[in-house]
Amino acid sequence: MADELLKIVDQRTNSSYELPLSKGAIRAADLKKIKTGPEDSGVVSYDPAFLNTAACQSSITFIDGDKGILRYRGYPIEQLAEKCTFLEVAYLILHGELPTETQLENWVKDIKSHTMLHEKTKSFLEGFNHDAHPMGMFISTLAALSTLYPEARKVRDPEVRKLQIRRLVGKVPTIAAYTYRHSLGFPYVYPDNDLSYTENFMNMLWRMVEPKYQANPVLSRALDILFILHADHEQNCSANVMRAVGSSEADPYVATAAAAAALSGPLHGGANEEVLKMLDEIGSKDRVPAYIERVKAGQFKLMGFGHRIYKNYDPRARIIKWAADQVFVATGRNPKLDIALELEKVALEDEYFIKRKLYPNVDFYSGIIYQALGFKPDLFTVLFAIPRTVGWLAQWQDMLDDPEQKIARPRQIYTGYAARDFVPIEKRAARPVGAAR
Ligand code: CMC
């Protein structure tokens, strides 16, 4: 039901229309009614990059970008990061409510029963070059899981869906760890289900010949917090891909692989790796002002800065800064932090960044903490993808359960040639490439 009506006057015809307005949104399909005559197919909304288009209704994650607020299922991110484990938050995101003690116990048990990878997956990973980027291996392996679980195609069956969600949440750390071991040429380490989700991940990454891996509790807690902060972020680029691919009823493994592919780009989750490269390039605090000048001159972007939705400090970046201090007590201070702090200070005082409301985002400090935890930069985006798998799956379920959703299929405004007759090759004149745009 509409809350209000929006009146639109079409000056071409002097007709007026009343479009239902609900929760501040009109339905773009209602614009079709606005036409100049029976031949006209009606007005469409044009919104490249979805700057102002809501593609769904969702109750998972709330962001107020102006105030710097982030909540999962209504709970402030700060409280969840302080009080929960990652799997508890994963349950919340996927089920809508925080688990009771028994629910959590069963959920953790369920996830742990899916941490192993089929041996064939190992041989599949072995086919990659030793220097293959871990994100490429991660994406491909996710897609390959689709071949092992063909029943996953029954996406309308809630029980089948439930099983694939548990499998994916259970297996992503194992895939991630195997990509890392592969790049080092070390044998893969099997999951140890005595350990927590993050401790087991650390075990699969770093256990060598010791019979039992002992995780440093400060570091495993920091990783748990980082996982919580990255678990979902409403309709970002990769979530949108998950929904779009899932809307064709493709199985969740290939849809998650597609979402991970979207995440890998440097403007999205790939930014954390780029931040580290940038800090390396800057090299020392005194070179920060010159670097900022080059950003302002448009030579490149300041990686880890800016956000489509946050026009204020990203609340996740604030928590990561706090977590970094805890980690540095255990690992020693990462000297790159000083360059990052200086970069933030100079940028936040500069008119260019103030005017455009550009603040540090989640990726600005996460790389520094990942590096202090012992990760190589090319694994950073995989570290983002592990927890974000939970968000993607929640968005996917949300989309499948929403009776209003159909296969995603945007419109276009055609700008090409009108119909023209075929020209035989001997009569064609060379034309500049892209002349039709
Ligand atoms: N450095 C310098 N200038 C910037 C930056 C930046 N990082 N980000 C935006 N701008 C400028 C941009 O050039 C534009 O200036 P003008 O108005 O003069 O043309 C203005 O700010 C508005 O930017 P926009 O490109 O319209 O913003 P957007 O919403 O399309 O892009 C963004 C958002 C995150 C892709 C962009 O800010 C960016 O490329 N940041 C660097 C990459 C990054 O850190 N990505 C991680 C995002 S958060 C985590 C995640 O999504 O995974």
Side-chain angles (χ1 to χ4, degrees):
M1 282 291 285
D3 307 327
E4 291 156 302
L5 291 172
L6 181 75
K7 190 166 180 176
I8 295 183
V9 177
D10 185 346
Q11 291 186 335
R12 298 170 303 174
T13 57
N14 274 333
S15 308
S16 66
Y17 301 83
E18 287 188 335
L19 303 190
L21 189 73
S22 177
K23 301 186 183 107
I26 57 159
R27 285 184 177 260
D30 283 345
L31 296 172
K32 272 179 151 183
K33 294 178 204 158
I34 306 175
K35 40 170 90 177
T36 48
E39 297 295 304
D40 183 355
S41 56
V43 169
V44 294
S45 61
Y46 174 58
D47 189 12
F50 306 123
L51 290 182
N52 194 32
T53 293
C56 63
Q57 302 198 38
S58 177
S59 57
I60 304 171
T61 294
F62 172 81
I63 302 175
D64 183 327
D66 293 325
K67 297 198 181 119
I69 292 174
L70 169 62
R71 300 182 197 131
Y72 298 154
R73 302 286 188 186
Y75 294 103
I77 190 68
E78 293 79 6
Q79 291 182 21
L80 296 172
E82 188 192 335
K83 297 180 200 301
C84 291
T85 62
F86 169 67
L87 280 187
E88 203 175 349
V89 172
Y91 184 99
L92 168 72
I93 290 175
L94 284 158
H95 298 85
E97 294 297 337
L98 282 167
T100 63
E101 270 180 51
T102 317
Q103 284 169 330
L104 182 60
E105 209 176 293
N106 291 336
W107 170 244
V108 171
K109 212 155 68 192
D110 266 355
I111 298 301
K112 284 188 176 176
S113 68
H114 292 292
T115 50
M116 297 281 276
L117 288 181
H118 194 292
E119 286 294 294
K120 283 252 159 52
T121 319
K122 270 174 51 185
S123 29
F124 174 82
L125 271 163
E126 274 156 12
F128 285 104
N129 264 353
H130 70 281
D131 58 354
H133 194 286
M135 201 56 189
M137 292 192 265
F138 182 80
I139 293 164
S140 315
T141 310
L142 279 172
L145 289 186
S146 155
T147 64
L148 293 169
Y149 307 111
E151 78 275 15
R153 287 184 211 148
K154 294 187 200 151
V155 297
R156 293 284 166 203
D157 182 330
E159 282 309 306
V160 171
R161 239 154 61 187
K162 219 162 105 179
L163 176 59
Q164 314 318 313
I165 289 174
R166 282 158 173 69
R167 276 188 179 139
L168 270 161
V169 177
K171 288 183 200 317
V172 279
T174 317
I175 301 173
Y178 282 16
T179 67
Y180 175 74
R181 302 283 294 198
H182 179 82
S183 60
L184 295 178
F186 290 158
Y188 304 150
V189 174
Y190 285 107
D192 178 345
N193 286 349
D194 288 345
L195 304 174
S196 75
Y197 193 79
T198 35
E199 285 169 345
N200 172 47
F201 178 48
M202 293 162 85
N203 157 64
M204 293 187 291
L205 289 164
W206 292 316
R207 185 156 77 83
M208 297 306 278
V209 290
E210 66 273 35
K212 188 94 185 157
Y213 182 77
Q214 298 282 345
N216 178 327
V218 176
L219 304 190
S220 65
R221 179 62 194 146
L223 196 54
D224 221 42
I225 292 174
L226 285 161
F227 279 4
I228 291 170
L229 301 181
H230 287 87
D232 191 53
H233 212 234
E234 53 119 305
Q235 306 313 311
N236 53 78
C237 177
S238 55
N240 181 54
V241 167
M242 184 79 191
R243 282 175 173 264
V245 176
S247 76
S248 74
E249 302 197 352
D251 77 56
Y253 299 101
V254 291
T256 306
L263 186 77
S264 71
L267 300 189
H268 193 4
N272 51 17
E273 187 181 340
E274 298 301 319
V275 170
L276 254 278
K277 284 189 204 153
M278 175 182 79
L279 296 176
D280 277 339
E281 193 190 327
I282 297 173
S284 60
K285 271 169 63 172
D286 56 308
R287 296 179 58 182
V288 164
Y291 193 86
I292 292 279
E293 285 311 312
R294 292 174 69 195
V295 170
K296 285 161 56 181
Q299 288 184 22
F300 36 69
K301 282 186 171 168
L302 189 58
M303 298 313 285
F305 254 72
H307 200 275
R308 174 64 60 78
I309 305 293
Y310 291 121
K311 299 301 169 201
N312 198 327
Y313 215 97
D314 182 335
R316 302 168 299 172
R318 194 170 276 126
I319 301 171
I320 290 181
K321 256 171 107 174
W322 171 84
D325 290 337
Q326 320 299 306
V327 167
F328 294 155
V329 173
T331 63
R333 193 176 164 86
N334 185 340
K336 295 205 178 76
L337 180 68
D338 294 326
I339 305 174
L341 288 169
E342 182 68 11
L343 206 51
E344 178 187 328
K345 185 170 152 284
V346 174
L348 294 186
E349 285 167 358
D350 192 293
E351 189 51 29
Y352 175 96
F353 294 87
I354 296 169
K355 199 172 124 210
R356 291 171 179 77
K357 300 188 176 168
L358 300 170
Y359 291 86
N361 59 50
V362 69
D363 292 316
F364 191 66
Y365 287 106
S366 64
I368 295 173
I369 191 169
Y370 288 146
Q371 196 174 50
L373 287 168
F375 295 104
K376 291 194 308 166
D378 63 1
L379 203 74
F380 291 176
T381 311
V382 177
L383 295 171
F384 190 153
I386 296 171
R388 184 53 63 84
T389 299
V390 166
W392 292 328
L393 291 166
Q395 299 288 342
W396 172 69
Q397 280 219 114
D398 217 33
M399 181 272 303
L400 288 170
D401 285 340
D402 182 346
E404 285 200 305
Q405 291 292 341
K406 291 166 180 268
I407 186 164
R409 206 310 184 181
R411 299 287 302 272
Q412 67 165 11
I413 295 170
Y414 178 67
T415 59
Y417 292 107
R420 50 183 179 160
D421 283 330
F422 177 78
V423 182
I425 195 159
E426 65 281 7
K427 294 202 175 147
R428 287 177 211 157
R431 301 176 68 91
V433 176
R437 270 193 70 82

